Amino acid sequence: MAHNFNRDILYKALKRQQWAIIWTLIVLVLCNIHMPESEGEGFFFDGFDKMAHLGFFFILSVLLFYGKIKYQHSFGFRTLTIFKILVINAVIGGGIEILQWKVFTYRSAEWWDFTCDMLGALMAVFSYVLLHKLNFNEKAS
């Protein structure tokens, strides 16, 4: 009986995170496909890769927050939620860099990519905290 209850809770939580899961799969593909060499010209300018990592993980974090808000039916602020989202981002970002280092060797694993992943996640956390504070202050007025 308890086993089914836990499975139902997990299913409901994952269902609310469907957009984050889909986005994670898209990011995994985009970060591991073979890209043309950048010569500083055109669409793939120098630094494009870093901006892509930052944007990918900002969006991932926003989608994780969105799923959490839908699951708990409130815009509640919890430090544990932020910690979990940062850990999820670190695992996915680190996993991508390990894949690029060991499996997709035509891509380069870089600490700067991982740093940009975490900066994107932190930007989303900042946005979440700021919007939560604004929402809380409006309700208090």
Side-chain angles (χ1 to χ4, degrees), residues 57-114:
F57 282 81
F58 175 82
I59 293 169
L60 175 60
S61 297
V62 167
L63 292 173
L64 287 167
F65 278 120
Y66 175 74
K68 180 64 175 171
I69 290 166
K70 281 185 68 172
Y71 177 72
Q72 67 188 19
H73 301 292
S74 76
F75 195 65
F77 179 85
R78 293 187 47 187
T79 305
L80 182 60
T81 299
I82 291 171
F83 178 75
K84 287 178 184 178
I85 287 174
L86 289 175
V87 168
I88 290 168
N89 277 283
V91 168
I92 293 170
I96 287 171
E97 296 309 311
I98 290 170
L99 283 172
Q100 289 178 348
W101 177 42
K102 293 291 187 179
V103 178
F104 304 104
T105 55
Y106 49 83
R107 298 294 304 256
S108 62
E110 299 177 17
W111 280 107
W112 282 113
D113 287 348
F114 180 75

Side-chain angles (χ1 to χ4, degrees), residues 124-136:
V125 167
F126 174 77
S127 300
Y128 173 74
V129 170
L130 180 67
L131 291 173
H132 179 268
K133 296 292 183 188
L134 290 174
N135 189 29
F136 179 76

Side-chain angles (χ1 to χ4, degrees), residues 12-63:
K12 288 178 183 178
L14 288 176
K15 184 178 177 187
R16 299 296 193 279
Q17 293 293 351
Q18 66 187 358
W19 292 112
I21 293 168
I22 291 168
W23 184 250
T24 300
L25 295 173
I26 291 169
V27 168
L28 284 171
V29 169
L30 291 175
C31 286
N32 291 308
I33 61 173
H34 188 67
M35 298 292 290
E37 290 297 320
S38 173
E39 295 180 17
E41 297 178 6
F43 186 74
F44 296 107
F45 55 88
D46 288 333
F48 174 83
D49 180 49
K50 305 305 177 258
M51 284 182 46
H53 278 267
L54 187 108
F56 288 162
F57 282 81
F58 175 82
I59 293 169
L60 175 60
S61 297
V62 167
L63 292 173

